[in-house]
Amino acid sequence: MHIDLDAVAANWAALDQLSGPNTQTAAVIKADGYGLGAGRVARRLAENGVRRFFVAVAEEGIAVREALGPGPAICVFSGHMDGDTELLDQLAMTPMLNSIEQLTRHLEALPGHRFGVQLDTGMNRLGMEPAEWAAVSDLVLQANPDLIMSHLACADEPDHPQNAEQLAAFRRMTDGLNVRRSLSATGGILLGKDYHFDLTRPGVGLYGGEPFVNATPVIRLSLPVVQTRDLEPGETVGYSATFVADKPTRIATVSGGYADGLLRSQSGKGQLFAGDIACPIAGRVSMDLISVDVTHLNEVPDYLDIVCPAQGVDDVAGHAGTIGYEILTSLGARYDRTYVGGKA
Ligand SMILES: *Cc1c(COP(=O)(O)O)cnc(C)c1O
C-alpha cells in the first residue's frame, strides 16, 4: 500500500482554500487516520501548519500526541467519558462535551482544563439538545469553552433540506455567543461559506474520498500475484464454485482478501487493474485471496491493483455496496504500508 502524504497535504490545502480566509481548517484523523496511519498523517499535516486535530476517542490521541509533541490541539469527539480523566489530563487533550453528565464530570475532575461542547442540531447522535443547552449554557460560557461544534447528517447531499435546518438550529443555539464555532466536515465545506463558521473539520476529503470529488488520489493498493492457472470450459473457481469458465480462461490468484478489508461483497462484481486494463474478480473473495480473470492480458504482471488511478476507493466501495469511508477504514494490518512525503 503506497500512501502519498503529500497528496493528503494537498487535499488539506485545497479544503483550507475552500474554507475561506477567516476560517481555521483542522484535520480529522480518527480511526488511525482513516486507516492510513494517524501519526504519519498528523505529522505531515503539522508541517503544513495544521494546529488542531480531532480523534473519536481519547485512546486514539495517544499515538497522535506521541507523533505531534506538545503543541497542537487534539480534540476528542466522544467527550469526557468515565475513566478518561487521566488520559485527557496527561496528554492535554480537549474533550468535546456531549451531555450535562460529561460537563459535570469534566468541570469537577479537571477544572480549568480546556474543553469544547458538542450540540445536537438534528442528527440525534452526539451532543446536547437545545433544551439541555439552554439549561447549562451560562455555566458553560463562564468556564470559557474553546469551541462549540455540531455535525451535519446530510452534508453529502447538498439539496437535502436538513442541511439548512441544522444550520438554522446551530445559529439559534449559538448566535451572539463569544465562542468559536464549527459545523462542517468535508461535505459541509462544500456547501459554502454559510456553513464554515470559525473552524472546519475535514476528514475523508483529506484521504481522497467523496464527497470531495476533486481530491488528489492518496493511496495505491497493489496485490501480488501468487499463482496463475489456465481453466478448461466448465471448470469453476473458488468457494461455492460461483464462477464457471465458459471458454478457456486464465485466472490469477492474488494475495489479499476480506481479512484485509477487501470486502466479500465485491465477489463477482469488483475488478482489479493491470495498469489501465480492468480484470474482473472471478467468483468469491476469500479470506486471504482473490481470483481474477486475466484471460485478456498478453502478460500477467507481478501485481494487480485494486486501488489505483483507474479505480479510487469510492469505485471499490460501489462494487462492494458501501461507501469509501468503510473501504478506507477496513484496510487491514497485513499490508506493507510505504509512505511518500513526510517524516517517519
Ligand atoms: C468523522 C467526523 C468528521 C469528519 O467527517 P468527514 O465526512 O470524514 O469529513 C467531522 N466531524 C465529526 C463530528 C465526525 O464524526
Side-chain angles (χ1 to χ4, degrees):
M1 186 190 309
H2 296 272
I3 299 169
D4 186 347
L5 295 173
D6 292 336
V8 176
N11 289 330
W12 180 84
L15 290 163
D16 183 47
Q17 191 73 31
L18 286 169
S19 295
N22 299 319
T23 301
Q24 189 193 349
T25 305
V28 178
I29 53 171
K30 61 191 177 185
D32 197 23
Y34 290 50
L36 304 189
R40 294 294 301 251
V41 169
R43 242 191 327 248
R44 179 64 188 84
L45 289 175
E47 283 176 30
N48 264 44
V50 181
R51 304 301 294 158
R52 187 190 290 261
F53 296 86
F54 287 88
V55 293
V57 295
E59 289 82 354
E60 288 186 324
I62 298 171
V64 178
R65 183 57 83 207
E66 198 177 327
L68 291 174
I74 300 172
C75 302
V76 181
F77 286 136
S78 64
H80 191 148
M81 307 260 286
D82 193 20
D84 281 354
T85 301
E86 208 181 31
L87 204 50
L88 292 169
D89 188 28
Q90 278 174 0
L91 300 184
M93 293 191 285
T94 310
M96 298 290 123
L97 305 176
N98 289 299
S99 62
I100 293 177
E101 185 191 7
Q102 288 198 349
L103 176 69
T104 309
R105 178 181 296 131
H106 186 73
L107 295 179
E108 283 177 3
L110 295 175
H113 181 106
R114 200 143 84 129
F115 72 95
V117 171
Q118 181 155 204
L119 303 179
D120 177 32
T121 52
M123 188 169 184
N124 287 305
R125 189 179 67 169
L126 283 180
M128 295 185 210
E129 307 236 342
E132 287 178 291
W133 176 235
V136 296
S137 60
D138 286 346
L139 178 78
V140 168
L141 295 169
Q142 272 166 31
N144 195 22
D146 172 55
L147 186 72
I148 299 180
M149 61 166 281
S150 188
H151 193 51
L152 298 166
C154 306
D156 58 339
E157 295 175 62
D159 296 331
H160 200 293
Q162 191 164 325
N163 293 319
E165 287 164 20
Q166 287 195 252
L167 175 62
F170 191 55
R171 299 204 73 128
R172 275 196 302 277
M173 291 165 84
T174 61
D175 269 355
L177 306 180
N178 187 23
V179 183
R180 284 191 296 170
R181 295 186 284 182
S182 175
L183 180 61
S184 287
T186 304
I189 293 172
L190 302 173
L191 293 178
K193 66 178 181 353
D194 289 351
Y195 288 82
H196 295 166
F197 295 92
D198 302 297
L199 182 130
T200 55
R201 316 181 304 269
V204 75
L206 304 175
Y207 310 104
E210 290 179 7
F212 186 32
V213 290
N214 296 326
T216 304
V218 170
I219 65 174
R220 176 189 283 269
L221 184 52
S222 306
L223 306 179
V225 176
V226 183
Q227 203 183 1
T228 305
R229 58 180 13 84
D230 292 306
L231 272 60
E232 302 290 340
E235 287 194 277
T236 69
V237 176
Y239 284 121
S240 304
T242 57
F243 179 93
V244 185
D246 59 1
K247 58 178 187 307
T249 298
R250 175 164 289 178
I251 295 291
T253 306
V254 299
S255 183
Y258 60 76
D260 304 293
L262 304 174
L263 305 182
R264 189 168 171 277
S265 50
Q266 292 176 85
S267 298
K269 293 186 206 149
Q271 52 192 18
L272 280 73
F273 280 82
D276 55 6
I277 306 173
C279 306
I281 292 176
R284 292 272 159 87
V285 171
S286 46
M287 186 186 293
D288 317 300
L289 297 163
I290 299 176
S291 305
V292 185
D293 186 342
V294 292
T295 311
H296 53 305
L297 299 184
N298 295 327
E299 206 180 330
V300 180
D302 292 340
Y303 289 85
L304 292 169
D305 294 337
I306 190 155
V307 180
C308 56
Q311 175 167 268
V313 288
D314 291 288
D315 300 315
V316 175
H319 297 306
T322 182
I323 54 176
Y325 296 74
E326 190 179 19
I327 297 297
L328 282 172
T329 56
S330 300
L331 296 174
R334 289 198 288 192
Y335 298 112
D336 178 16
R337 286 167 164 79
T338 59
Y339 290 90
V340 177
K343 293 191 273 291

